[in-house]
Amino acid sequence: MRPITLLTDYGLGDEFVGVCHAVMARIAPESRVIDLSHGIPRHGVLQGALVLQRSLPYAPPGVHVAVVDPEVGAPRRAIALRTLDEDRYLVGPDNGLLLPAAERFGGVAEAVEISESPWRLEPVSATFHGRDLFAPIGARLAVGEPLAAAGRPLEPGELVPLDLPRPRVSAGELEAIAVGVDGFGNVSLLAAHDDLASTGFRLGQPLVVRAGDAALPASYGRTFADVGPGAAIVYEDAARHVAVAVNTGDAAAALGGLRPGAQVTVAAVPLP
Amino acid sequence: MRPITLLTDYGLGDEFVGVCHAVMARIAPESRVIDLSHGIPRHGVLQGALVLQRSLPYAPPGVHVAVVDPEVGAPRRAIALRTLDEDRYLVGPDNGLLLPAAERFGGVAEAVEISESPWRLEPVSATFHGRDLFAPIGARLAVGEPLAAAGRPLEPGELVPLDLPRPRVSAGELEAIAVGVDGFGNVSLLAAHDDLASTGFRLGQPLVVRAGDAALPASYGRTFADVGPGAAIVYEDAARHVAVAVNTGDAAAALGGLRPGAQVTVAAVPLP
Amino acid sequence: MRPITLLTDYGLGDEFVGVCHAVMARIAPESRVIDLSHGIPRHGVLQGALVLQRSLPYAPPGVHVAVVDPEVGAPRRAIALRTLDEDRYLVGPDNGLLLPAAERFGGVAEAVEISESPWRLEPVSATFHGRDLFAPIGARLAVGEPLAAAGRPLEPGELVPLDLPRPRVSAGELEAIAVGVDGFGNVSLLAAHDDLASTGFRLGQPLVVRAGDAALPASYGRTFADVGPGAAIVYEDAARHVAVAVNTGDAAAALGGLRPGAQVTVAAVPLP
């Protein structure tokens, strides 16, 4: 009996997530279901893909259902796939959401198109494929039914890729998009710690973080406690992204109410 | 060991839901507990009843605890009942909340009043019957104790009915109340797809949706993708309600921040 | 296999809680995990301690992980402890968060410092000890590994105590801090029902509740139904705190948007 993880942009204000759990419990009553997150920004395929990618290494191998699906109802494909390493099963729309996570486990070993799957709940609604397609197919895989029976085979190379915007780095400056704002207002950028190497930033160095019209003085550090309360730091966060935080404060608010997708620049403060 | 579902208007901002889970875990450690929704609008008995009714067919038969209870502390009855079909057990206040769901499973076969149940947690608080009454009684039923032992027998005909406001339908117009706003701002009306028949709406027909002072041009369609981004559609949603959505937008906001309970009119646009 | 409870100030907007669940599921796949609350106000050590204290008596004995940790990354200690009664295990930062709950179970029988625990996930991040320290150590205790193996022994007397501000009580007046605002806007004070004794309040007596500039007429009652809709009462809530509510309304809003930590005064209305 495989565990299931579930990640969506449904939020918890209505019964969408609960109904997906209900569907899974009917088919796979012994499978544990772990809610990775339902707070992905609405239609945030890029954010969802990155959260899935960084969360799955902490989860037990099993079935990983993810639904961030702005094109539900349109003729986009729906897919289930198996990864090369650890035999993890990923289920969701074919819009790039699953691929960064699959790559972390050696890439896609096998994929199927599931829109016409014999396991779907009939009648399939036009708008709630989490309930009618992804939850039941994830649950069937969790009880051990074979991937090949879930749908029609697909070449892994046919899957829709995800366009990951690369950070721009130069001496004294890094420009990247914000991909996450956590519950504390900490902002993570789509840039890895390694991307900072060519900036030449040194621990303790004064920096300025800019987003739109907002400018936030900060320093380069290792953890919140490296700066005083209310002061901002640029650091490597727990997901190994370059991130901006305000000690006991809210960096996203200090950056003008910044939201995922915004362009952020981190620059060295020039000597006077 | 029966699974338990839980639906409340408690929200997730405090520990109310967690404490109900804790109480259930002490009594029924082997029962899975599925959170259907805790985002029912506060004291929204009608909304809670409709969400319960449309969600339970997706859940495995078991014990279904629901708490939307504006009269907690007043001498309203608390009840547990068994449905005629599938032997599902429903537990909650006697204010109509449970009845639409029970009717979907053939109606009430057996009911008991549980306010003085021997299974309640003593002392019963005046304000938190989820913890003291509904959770422990639901959990006892989940481990297989008999309904008759939960309280005093009640005639099913004595149960408080729910007043479901019917939509008003005429040629070219439907008027109904909004019963749900999901996390995407999609608005569902207390009207079934069949109610649209006498309006004479045809697929693609231009409509106008009105709520209070707000008027939203829309068209009659099947799914979001039938209209362009930012455009509104009237459609049948995944719960088979007539619903209003804005493709990649927020229909509730476009209707002036509409909330459940508001009166909504959908009318054909007159020819010029 | 012990059950685990989890309480944090992470909120549910991101994947922090989900990743803690994932880590626990890898180590303790058979342990049930109960989310007590993730809505503790950010860095609200006092509020978290009180919620934990009042919730645990409802939870089965097991492992209780709690993370409200404003000093994460600074050299504060991280601890795991066993209570004298019921052999409950508590895991979290050493900032007072765990102690009121431990005292409810006879106090601390045994404690260890876990910052350098052999069970932590390497590399330990500077900012996400829920994932790297508290979740894996809680899960190891849940599968039955001994507390002494989790870290370095500590004298219970060395643990950082929690400063609980006492209410000020006189004839006709009680002053205390607000420690909780639930999803309905009900406000609970850090004062027990017994503290009301020396005020001389009688059931039905008119009172005035003050917070900052706001003043709310109320009466002393037993439950919401003791007053009309829209009227305010001072009562003993389900956690046995003195509390303020507005029947079918929102007391926190009526008190000027009051938040946990605010000073609140409840006073008898002088005779004219």
Side-chain angles (χ1 to χ4, degrees), chain C residues 11-241:
Chain C
L12 292 170
D14 51 45
E15 77 274 19
F16 288 13
V17 168
V19 168
C20 290
H21 275 257
V23 167
M24 290 169 169
R26 284 197 89 124
I27 299 170
E30 304 298 324
S31 278
R32 181 178 192 143
V33 182
I34 299 164
D35 292 299
L36 282 184
S37 176
H38 302 292
I40 304 299
R42 181 187 180 187
H43 296 166
V45 175
L46 174 62
Q47 287 87 351
L50 293 166
V51 170
L52 192 69
Q53 181 189 44
R54 69 190 185 223
S55 301
L56 287 201
Y58 295 96
V63 179
H64 308 295
V65 176
V67 192
V68 183
D69 194 8
E71 295 169 287
V72 62
R76 63 95 185 87
R77 283 187 300 222
I79 54 174
L81 59 86
R82 182 171 55 82
T83 63
L84 205 56
D85 301 341
E86 300 193 8
D87 279 343
R88 289 172 184 258
Y89 294 86
L90 279 69
V91 180
D94 182 24
N95 58 12
L97 177 68
L98 308 179
L99 290 191
E103 277 152 29
R104 185 151 290 187
F105 297 99
V108 178
E110 183 187 357
V112 295
E113 215 282 341
I114 56 172
S115 297
E116 309 287 327
S117 175
W119 300 341
R120 63 191 181 163
L121 294 196
E122 295 283 6
V124 173
S125 65
T127 52
F128 193 2
H129 287 189
R131 179 191 70 190
D132 299 333
L133 207 56
F134 302 123
I137 288 170
R140 293 276 199 134
L141 294 171
V143 297
E145 299 201 33
L147 182 65
R152 177 174 65 75
L154 266 181
E155 280 305 307
E158 293 178 64
L159 300 177
V160 173
L162 186 71
D163 181 33
L164 282 175
R166 295 283 312 147
R168 291 198 290 196
V169 188
S170 58
E173 187 166 313
L174 173 133
E175 188 180 351
I177 67 160
V179 285
V181 176
D182 71 21
F184 298 114
N186 303 331
V187 176
S188 62
L189 306 182
L190 188 49
H193 193 251
D194 292 350
D195 293 319
L196 286 178
S198 26
T199 63
F201 296 162
R202 298 174 316 280
L203 281 174
Q205 173 164 357
L207 304 170
V208 62
V209 181
R210 289 201 171 81
D213 291 338
L216 176 67
S219 64
Y220 180 42
R222 201 186 60 86
T223 183
F224 307 148
D226 288 351
V227 295
I233 60 159
V234 173
Y235 67 113
E236 175 192 10
D237 73 11
R240 304 189 160 274
H241 289 294

